Amino acid sequence: MTAPFEPSATSPRAQAPRGDRSPLPLIRLVDVQKSFPPLTVLDGFNLDIYPSQTTVILGPSGTGKSVMLKHIVGLLRPDSGQIYFDGRRIDQWNERELKPVRLQIGLLFQMGALFDSMTVEENLEFPMIEHTTLSPADRKDRAAHALELVDLADVQDKLPSQLSGGQKKRVALARAIVLQPRVVLYDEPTTGLDPIRADGINQLIIKLKDQLNVTSIVVTHDLTSARKVADRVVMLTGGKVIADGPYSHLERSPDPRVQHFLRGEYSREDDTATESTSIGQRPALTDVIP
């Protein structure tokens, strides 16, 4: 029987900074420029993501949050700038070279992206069949353990249509972690959920960071969620970072754009700035599902 979800003491995801030593970034985006002419989406974008932290990305719609995620998984390539994963530059790698990196990144899609014709267990086993040599028995054990981690039991044989919205999100999260990724990307994880179910997802984000030591990047508009799960909050506007720090730091920011967003106050000036980054057809994150 496999022993899933137990990182070794020497693995990169099990290491924690000691004393005053600062951890090195696991993911780096350096001077990233991305345009979909005539629109500029990321404009000299810089961001370091540190291991074993939950970084929440906030910002109005159309400011480049999802485009940033697509650069991390290699679905989009920058027009200029560099992207690093675990110290290696990856933005110039081909699809074959990117595969090992992608297998270290779990994705929780906004709408779950479960396969409707597959049972819950088959949904979880799919990435293991595609990317591992685990035996059927080991795949079954790994799937069951992933469901336990997201507080679900006895749903293996159900179809997605037989699940509630909250259960679907939990199954999708179980699938995102079943390959034991070092990084989990959450795209609007609480969208469509009532406050109680949303808080359940928030608690799972915290639980998975604590138990699996994963690095989490959460793109959300849910300020309650951001306040609860974030070690660090980064706010984007116009393809640039305009605020970076703990949530309490953003609450004290003198930048009116930050305050307007946190208070939910409409400003035509802010709206005009973000309209320039709203674009039409772009590849979906689901195009790179493991």
Side-chain angles (χ1 to χ4, degrees):
M1 182 178 294
T2 60
F5 308 104
E6 296 181 3
S8 69
T10 58
S11 71
R13 59 187 158 147
Q15 295 175 353
R18 299 176 182 176
D20 295 330
R21 288 165 49 190
S22 298
L24 296 175
L26 178 58
I27 299 168
R28 300 197 73 198
L29 291 87
V30 181
D31 295 328
V32 171
Q33 193 84 12
K34 185 64 179 181
S35 296
F36 297 84
L39 305 173
T40 298
V41 183
L42 296 177
D43 188 9
F45 182 80
N46 290 279
L47 182 65
D48 288 348
I49 299 295
Y50 292 94
S52 306
Q53 287 188 0
T54 297
T55 301
V56 170
I57 310 296
L58 291 178
S61 298
T63 57
K65 302 185 299 297
S66 293
V67 170
M68 178 209 68
L69 291 183
K70 293 166 190 172
H71 279 80
I72 290 174
V73 296
L75 182 58
L76 291 176
R77 308 297 175 96
D79 299 330
S80 62
Q82 305 91 43
I83 299 172
Y84 297 86
F85 185 90
D86 205 12
R88 296 169 294 173
R89 184 174 177 181
I90 64 171
D91 57 277
Q92 298 176 323
W93 288 8
N94 60 35
E95 292 294 305
R96 179 183 58 81
E97 293 169 323
L98 280 171
K99 183 177 179 180
V101 172
R102 288 174 173 166
L103 291 176
Q104 298 180 67
I105 301 174
L107 304 172
L108 176 63
F109 306 111
Q110 181 174 340
M111 304 308 295
L114 298 176
F115 297 111
D116 293 336
S117 60
M118 294 183 178
T119 66
V120 167
E121 186 172 74
E122 289 169 342
N123 265 280
L124 267 67
E125 288 191 356
F126 181 79
M128 292 186 280
I129 292 172
E130 291 291 307
H131 301 297
T132 77
T133 58
L134 292 173
S135 69
D138 286 344
R139 292 198 302 267
K140 189 179 185 71
D141 289 342
R142 181 81 69 85
H145 191 69
L147 289 172
E148 289 175 10
L149 282 170
V150 299
D151 302 327
L152 277 181
D154 301 323
V155 299
Q156 285 92 330
D157 296 328
K158 291 186 176 182
L159 292 169
S161 61
Q162 298 172 302
L163 304 176
S164 68
Q167 288 175 325
K168 290 178 184 178
K169 278 284 176 77
R170 289 171 182 264
V171 171
L173 182 52
R175 186 181 61 185
I177 63 172
V178 79
L179 292 180
Q180 304 180 8
R182 297 172 64 187
V183 180
V184 179
L185 308 181
Y186 298 85
D187 186 16
E188 300 286 357
T190 60
T191 292
L193 301 180
D194 63 70
I196 294 175
R197 272 70 185 180
D199 188 63
I201 296 297
N202 294 335
Q203 291 184 32
L204 285 176
I205 293 172
I206 297 170
K207 175 183 178 181
L208 295 179
K209 186 195 78 167
D210 291 342
Q211 292 194 8
L212 304 183
N213 209 23
V214 296
T215 302
S216 303
I217 304 175
V218 182
V219 166
T220 186
H221 293 99
D222 185 340
L223 298 182
T224 299
S225 177
R227 185 184 292 107
K228 182 160 189 171
V229 307
D231 296 308
R232 171 191 178 199
V233 179
V234 175
M235 184 168 174
L236 275 61
T237 292
K240 292 179 179 290
V241 174
I242 63 167
D244 185 348
Y247 193 92
S248 59
H249 175 81
L250 267 70
E251 290 179 312
R252 298 191 300 269
S253 171
D255 191 321
R257 296 169 297 178
V258 176
Q259 294 305 318
H260 291 162
F261 185 84
L262 296 183
R263 293 197 297 260
E265 294 179 354
Y266 175 79
S267 167
R268 178 57 188 165
E269 290 76 14
D270 297 344
D271 207 24
T272 302
T274 60
E275 282 174 356
S276 64
T277 62
S278 297
I279 61 177
Q281 295 296 320
R282 295 194 296 264
L285 272 173
T286 48
D287 293 341
V288 295
I289 184 170

